[in-house]
Amino acid sequence: AQTVTQSQPEMSVQEAETVTLSCTYDTSESDYYLFWYKQPPSRQMILVIRQEAYKQQNATENRFSVNFQKAAKSFSLKISDSQLGDAAMYFCAYRPTGANFGNEKLTFGTGTRLTIIP
Amino acid sequence: GAVVSQHPSWVICKSGTSVKIECRSLDFQATTMFWYRQFPKQSLMLMATSNEGSKATYEQGVEKDKFLINHASLTLSTLTVTSAHPEDSSFYICSAKRQGANQPQHFGDGTRLSIL
């Protein structure tokens, strides 16, 4: 079974600084998707960034980028120029590829609460 | 866009009653919908996955007779918590996706269920 581990329950960063959130996962699959979701106090899950395992290039979305280390099964999220609106719970998630019905499940980590210090 | 609406956002009811939560995809056809449960300060735990027109597939440990899921159309799935008890109090979140292995899940705003 796949597992996703986030070892940092809480992190804080000064506004405008950079912060990195850690995520490791365990799988026997060679191809899969990895995601970072943000859950602000409003509780809606918002997709921040997605990485496909077969792609060596790290995904980037504006101030958000990932460091994907496939061999180490590590998928960290870097937030540059942190803003107050970035404060939220951040969840790392894994999903296998393939069109099989059972392959659409997302497995989430336990989350990291990010606080932005003004 | 891909908007998913969940209703109600918050419900309080007495122990023993049944509660229905709706999940709607407003601007796309959702061939697959997912129902999650989230306890305070914890992660999302998948309860069940449903394809339109088919019976839901429940995760291990989730009582299918307790949590009834109906996915009768491409835009609507419902979760009914039957004979709810205080231990069923939680935050329930649905997500929906279009057909296709590469399609992402889009999440609703969640429903806070409180059973007195």
Side-chain angles (χ1 to χ4, degrees):
Chain A
Q2 294 86 9
T3 58
V4 178
T5 302
Q6 293 178 250
S7 59
Q8 307 155 313
E10 296 184 352
M11 290 281 285
S12 60
V13 63
Q14 205 81 30
E15 192 176 1
E17 296 295 312
T18 296
V19 64
T20 298
L21 308 183
S22 301
C23 173
T24 58
Y25 58 94
D26 188 25
T27 182
S28 58
E29 302 290 331
S30 60
D31 199 14
Y32 43 86
Y33 297 105
L34 294 166
F35 306 84
W36 277 98
Y37 281 91
K38 168 185 177 181
Q39 188 180 39
S42 65
R43 305 300 294 271
Q44 185 179 25
M45 296 288 284
I46 301 167
L47 178 63
V48 174
I49 200 165
R50 179 171 91 164
Q51 175 80 41
E52 296 169 30
Y54 71 87
K55 291 185 177 179
Q56 292 186 337
Q57 187 173 6
N58 289 324
T60 299
E61 287 288 340
N62 300 314
R63 298 183 294 107
F64 300 87
S65 61
V66 298
N67 183 3
F68 173 48
Q69 301 290 327
K70 191 173 184 178
K73 294 181 181 173
S74 170
F75 182 61
S76 61
L77 174 70
K78 185 172 82 171
I79 305 174
S80 304
D81 185 24
S82 298
Q83 300 175 0
L84 294 178
D86 295 333
M89 280 289 287
Y90 285 81
F91 291 98
C92 179
Y94 165 99
R95 204 201 89 189
T97 57
N100 294 333
F101 177 71
N103 285 345
E104 297 177 316
K105 294 165 48 174
L106 280 171
T107 300
F108 286 90
T110 50
T112 297
R113 182 173 301 280
L114 178 64
T115 301
I116 310 298
I117 303 167
Chain B
V3 180
V4 177
S5 172
Q6 207 171 321
H7 179 80
S9 57
W10 196 357
V11 58
I12 303 172
C13 61
K14 292 182 179 179
S15 183
T17 59
S18 293
V19 180
K20 180 184 285 189
I21 303 170
E22 292 185 348
C23 180
R24 292 182 185 273
S25 57
L26 298 185
D27 54 359
F28 68 99
Q29 293 187 328
T31 53
T32 308
M33 287 187 169
F34 306 82
W35 286 96
Y36 296 86
R37 185 172 180 175
Q38 186 179 27
F39 290 104
K41 298 185 179 180
Q42 293 189 25
S43 187
L44 279 73
M45 300 300 296
L46 180 65
M47 299 174 67
T49 304
S50 71
N51 270 355
E52 183 265 336
S54 303
K55 287 185 178 179
T57 300
Y58 289 80
E59 294 299 300
Q60 192 172 10
V62 178
E63 300 174 57
K64 60 180 66 177
D65 294 331
K66 173 77 171 175
F67 299 99
L68 301 179
I69 292 172
N70 183 281
H71 190 170
S73 78
L74 286 171
T75 59
L76 173 65
S77 176
T78 60
L79 167 67
T80 301
V81 183
T82 62
S83 187
H85 291 283
E87 58 266 28
D88 298 322
S89 299
S90 188
F91 192 67
Y92 292 88
I93 306 176
C94 74
S95 71
K97 67 179 290 292
R98 296 179 175 90
Q99 187 173 13
N102 201 35
Q103 294 296 321
Q105 291 184 30
H106 303 281
F107 286 82
D109 289 346
T111 297
R112 182 177 303 283
L113 175 63
S114 298
I115 309 298
L116 303 177

